[in-house]
Amino acid sequence: MTRRIMVIDLEKCTGCNACAAACVAENLNSPIYYNPPPVAKLLGLAEEAKSPEEAKTLIHELLWLRTRTRRVYRDGSMTVYHIMCQHCDDAPCVAACPTGASYQRKDGIVLVNPEKCILCGYCIAACPYGARHVNPFTRTVDKCTLCAHRVDRGELPACVETCPTGARMFGDLDDPNDPVARLVRTGQARPGSVGGVLGPTRPRVYTVPPQKKR
């Protein structure tokens, strides 16, 4: 059996946001999940905005993020936390969904079927990680998919492939020879990507904490 996991090494992360940019580039025009208007057209609408605030709102809707980062400064050092779907073993979003739109694959990846989503918002409220949002193109709930379409082709998620420092890693928890899974089994990587485990959800996204400042 395969159990997909992601490990994020916070010591290696520089906060460059290449992961978020790669996610947008990979998924914005993906016909697998939705078919949005051309990017150039949407950028044109942003340029015609009546105020900077309106332009910012339009651009934010254009560049919706399935994964994003948050910088935390403490004692003269910076730690970058990654906010994204945790693909929990006990996913509260799946339990809360009344239509079965939110579901979990056998390999642990949690997805949303846009054809079943009625935009009730129950899953958004149930997620303790703030990892779900409304896709402005489809008007359905959206989130990180761990690039399931790439994984099914034997490829890495776009964010993992793009990360210039190797901070993001992808593996199989059930593979005894997987170096990424070894980080989890040895306790070097801890559950959760936002600074700790939130509730009994058993996240499939892990972090290697930054080294303590000497």
Side-chain angles (χ1 to χ4, degrees), residues 70 86 88 90 92 126-130 191-203:
R70 181 177 65 196
Q86 304 293 293
C88 308
D90 296 323
C127 176
Y129 301 98
S193 68
V194 288
V197 181
L198 301 180
T201 65
R202 294 195 294 163

Side-chain angles (χ1 to χ4, degrees), residues 45-59:
L45 292 175
E47 291 173 356
E48 296 173 5
K50 297 178 181 179
S51 68
E53 291 75 18
E54 183 178 342
K56 185 176 181 180
T57 299
L58 288 169
I59 292 173

Side-chain angles (χ1 to χ4, degrees), residues 14-205:
T14 63
C16 69
N17 279 321
C19 54
C23 179
V24 171
E26 174 67 28
N27 294 296
L28 190 60
N29 291 302
S30 172
I32 297 175
Y33 296 105
Y34 42 81
N35 186 25
V39 174
K41 179 180 179 181
L42 290 171
L43 286 174
L45 292 175
E47 291 173 356
E48 296 173 5
K50 297 178 181 179
S51 68
E53 291 75 18
E54 183 178 342
K56 185 176 181 180
T57 299
L58 288 169
I59 292 173
H60 175 73
E61 290 186 352
L62 167 64
L63 299 179
W64 57 269
L65 299 178
R66 289 179 170 181
T67 183
R68 60 190 189 277
T69 59
R70 181 177 65 196
R71 293 175 174 81
V72 175
Y73 297 90
R74 186 181 297 114
D75 299 329
S77 62
M78 179 187 73
T79 300
V80 183
Y81 291 111
H82 294 241
I83 302 171
M84 58 181 291
C85 175
Q86 304 293 293
H87 298 274
C88 308
D89 272 341
D90 296 323
C93 55
V94 173
C97 180
T99 66
S102 291
Y103 66 100
Q104 190 166 32
R105 303 195 329 177
K106 291 182 178 180
D107 61 1
I109 296 178
V110 177
L111 299 175
V112 178
N113 183 343
E115 295 182 359
K116 291 185 177 181
C117 180
I118 59 175
L119 203 59
C120 64
Y122 289 169
C123 64
I124 295 176
C127 176
Y129 301 98
R132 290 180 167 235
H133 59 273
V134 177
N135 185 317
F137 303 130
T138 63
R139 302 304 297 173
T140 59
V141 172
D142 205 353
K143 59 172 213 65
C144 163
T145 65
L146 287 180
C147 283
H149 59 290
R150 290 175 59 92
V151 171
D152 290 344
R153 297 197 300 258
E155 301 171 356
L156 293 171
C159 61
V160 175
E161 186 176 86
T162 301
C163 181
T165 64
R168 287 201 175 199
M169 297 166 277
F170 190 68
D172 175 8
L173 192 58
D174 284 344
D175 183 351
N177 299 315
D178 190 324
V180 179
R182 193 174 301 122
L183 293 173
V184 176
R185 289 194 294 269
T186 58
Q188 297 178 66
R190 304 174 185 175
S193 68
V194 288
V197 181
L198 301 180
T201 65
R202 294 195 294 163
R204 288 279 189 90
V205 177

